[in-house]
Amino acid sequence: MSQFSQNPYYDKAGGGGGGFMDGSPLGGSNGTPGSSTRRGGSASVRPVTIKQVLSATQTHSEADWVIDDAEIGSVTVIGQVISIQKQATNIVYSLDDGTGRLEARHWVDPSAMEEDEEDPITEDSYIRVMGTIKSFGNKRYINTSQQRLVKDHHELYFHLLDAMATKLILERGPPHAPRQQPGSSPIKAEGASAYSAQSTAVTNDQFSHLPQMQQAIIRFILSHPQTDDGVNVGAIARAVGGSANEISAALDSLLDGGHIYTTLDESHYAVSQ
Amino acid sequence: MAEIVSPRVNSARLADHVGQHVRLTCKVLRLTGSAAIVEASDGGQVEVRVPIKSPIKDVYIEVVGQVVEPGVVKLLNCINLGDTLGKSYDNSNSYCDLKIVDMNIVDFVVEKWHSPQFSSMF
């Protein structure tokens, strides 16, 4: 998550939407490499524009929705309320964010007492909704789990920038850590390949935040057929170079970080997958 | 199927959308009976033609309107974004209380909106 700690938008108290990015559109990017978790997953919330929702695709009616080649769990949208229709079991907000119009349906329990909201949603106000994309016939809408008034107008601009940044991260992978040397970890051009479940090639995104020596060790181990025996430390040392102390320290860091583990004995290592 | 769109613009980009609906986040400089002179996010001034019962209440507003000609927008709807009367940076407890809109952020987003890089989003 290092890329988010440097992003000033997430430090801002008024945003509210920033918290949803944790572990979200990147799915498993918080350090769980290689596993089959590149599906959007129901926990992920992706900031999008209405145009993106309207152009989302679905391979069949039970499949996950896909936006920009990434699977979607749920989405968050900010839009101006054009109209509000209150019915017995649901409230329908018609939203316009300048890129299109979309209905957001919020199902209410008819027996629950309607409390007076502290910030009632009115026409022409901007609201943030979070929910899942649904389609009924040709009509697309969002089933919202929650919606709330946008009180600081900057949240709208934060959201648009959030959506743009998310799109770029999904396309290109997370940004480099600043200390990274340019030659040592070329980011793959298509973000999709970094996340494909079948990929056993080195996915540089996962390791690009590590120091050069540690990256080299991991890449060397991965370049060998993955057996239960792991790779001998002597082979690692010969391939990677550097002093015994440097290698030993790097191996310890990788062990502590959970990136590698010992197999036959303390001289054999494998990469955690 | 034509989508109902209203691209975000500043004063310079009005010329690209003559006759179309746009969203202009701006600061009201002067009000007359039939028009408001506003400052857009790029610093340029725009004339916003308003109906008799003008819905403009605050200093910072978002105008949803139709571009009559470059530099002139006919207001269709107005979203009041808050006034500048009241809290200053010294008195406010948090940035959120400040009802001033940072036009640098607005302009940055407006420019990115029209960038080909994000054409699938906007």
Side-chain angles (χ1 to χ4, degrees), chain A residues 240-254:
Chain A
V240 166
S243 73
N245 280 343
E246 284 174 350
I247 296 194
S248 175
L251 286 170
D252 282 344
S253 285
L254 287 170

Side-chain angles (χ1 to χ4, degrees), chain A:
Chain A
M1 301 291 225
S2 58
Q3 65 271 27
F4 292 108
S5 63
Q6 291 148 23
N7 187 328
Y9 292 108
Y10 295 109
D11 295 330
K12 186 168 177 302
F20 299 112
M21 283 296 284
D22 284 45
S24 60
L26 308 183
S29 82
N30 52 1
T32 53
S35 57
S36 62
T37 54
R38 186 43 214 130
R39 303 176 58 73
S42 55
S44 71
V45 181
R46 180 169 167 188
V48 291
T49 62
I50 289 179
K51 178 171 176 177
Q52 286 176 292
V53 174
L54 294 174
S55 58
T57 55
Q58 194 182 34
T59 53
H60 58 86
S61 64
E62 297 304 314
D64 282 347
W65 289 91
V66 173
I67 295 178
D68 298 333
D69 296 327
E71 284 172 351
I72 295 292
S74 48
V75 294
T76 176
V77 167
I78 290 189
Q80 173 200 357
V81 177
I82 299 294
S83 68
I84 307 175
Q85 291 167 50
K86 284 194 182 170
Q87 287 149 27
T89 55
N90 61 56
I91 303 180
V92 179
Y93 303 96
S94 182
L95 298 180
D96 184 339
D97 71 349
T99 70
R101 289 211 173 164
L102 184 68
E103 283 189 354
R105 291 170 176 261
H106 180 60
W107 297 93
V108 292
D109 180 357
S111 60
M113 281 296 295
E114 285 270 338
E115 298 166 9
D116 280 336
E117 288 170 53
E118 195 181 292
D119 297 310
I121 294 175
T122 55
E123 285 182 10
D124 287 347
S125 59
Y126 271 96
I127 66 173
R128 179 190 279 279
V129 302
M130 274 150 287
T132 48
I133 303 176
K134 297 285 182 221
S135 176
F136 187 68
N138 269 340
K139 193 159 180 193
R140 200 162 293 185
Y141 61 97
I142 293 185
N143 252 351
T144 69
S145 54
Q146 54 168 302
Q147 60 284 327
R148 61 164 171 78
L149 205 63
V150 167
K151 291 208 270 190
D152 181 340
H153 190 63
H154 297 94
E155 186 178 351
L156 165 65
Y157 296 97
F158 161 74
H159 172 76
L160 295 173
L161 293 166
D162 200 11
M164 290 185 231
T166 302
K167 176 180 199 290
L168 292 180
I169 289 174
L170 284 169
E171 284 173 1
R172 305 180 187 178
H176 280 286
R179 63 202 166 118
Q180 206 53 45
Q181 298 185 24
S184 60
S185 60
I187 293 288
K188 283 204 167 138
E190 315 141 31
S193 67
Y195 299 113
S196 66
Q198 294 78 23
S199 168
T200 55
V202 174
T203 50
N204 291 318
D205 304 274
Q206 306 165 28
F207 306 119
S208 60
H209 61 287
L210 293 173
Q212 199 182 7
M213 163 79 73
Q214 296 181 25
Q215 279 199 50
I217 292 176
I218 288 196
R219 265 191 237 122
F220 175 75
I221 300 177
L222 285 173
S223 70
H224 280 60
Q226 301 290 292
T227 67
D228 289 339
D229 290 355
V231 177
N232 185 282
V233 67
I236 296 176
R238 277 191 295 278
V240 166
S243 73
N245 280 343
E246 284 174 350
I247 296 194
S248 175
L251 286 170
D252 282 344
S253 285
L254 287 170
L255 270 173
D256 284 345
H259 298 293
I260 62 176
Y261 59 95
T262 53
T263 54
L264 295 179
D265 57 27
E266 291 193 7
S267 297
H268 291 80
Y269 295 93
V271 173
S272 312
Q273 299 281 5

Side-chain angles (χ1 to χ4, degrees), chain A residues 9 12-14 49-52 54-55 68 80 82 96-101 124-126 151-154 156-158 160-161 163-165 167-168 171-172, chain B residues 3-8 23 25 62 64 77-81 95-103 105-110 112-113 117-122:
Chain A
Y9 292 108
K12 186 168 177 302
T49 62
I50 289 179
K51 178 171 176 177
Q52 286 176 292
L54 294 174
S55 58
D68 298 333
Q80 173 200 357
I82 299 294
D96 184 339
D97 71 349
T99 70
R101 289 211 173 164
D124 287 347
S125 59
Y126 271 96
K151 291 208 270 190
D152 181 340
H153 190 63
H154 297 94
L156 165 65
Y157 296 97
F158 161 74
L160 295 173
L161 293 166
M164 290 185 231
K167 176 180 199 290
L168 292 180
E171 284 173 1
R172 305 180 187 178
Chain B
E3 273 308 322
I4 302 174
V5 295
S6 44
R8 294 193 173 274
R23 279 178 192 260
T25 299
E62 178 173 291
V64 183
N77 197 4
C78 166
I79 302 173
N80 291 293
L81 302 178
Y95 186 65
C96 302
D97 293 334
L98 204 54
K99 296 298 185 185
I100 290 177
V101 177
D102 184 335
M103 294 308 246
I105 294 177
V106 174
D107 204 57
F108 184 87
V109 173
V110 167
K112 288 292 179 193
W113 183 294
Q117 188 180 33
F118 298 110
S119 59
S120 68
M121 291 177 58
F122 301 115

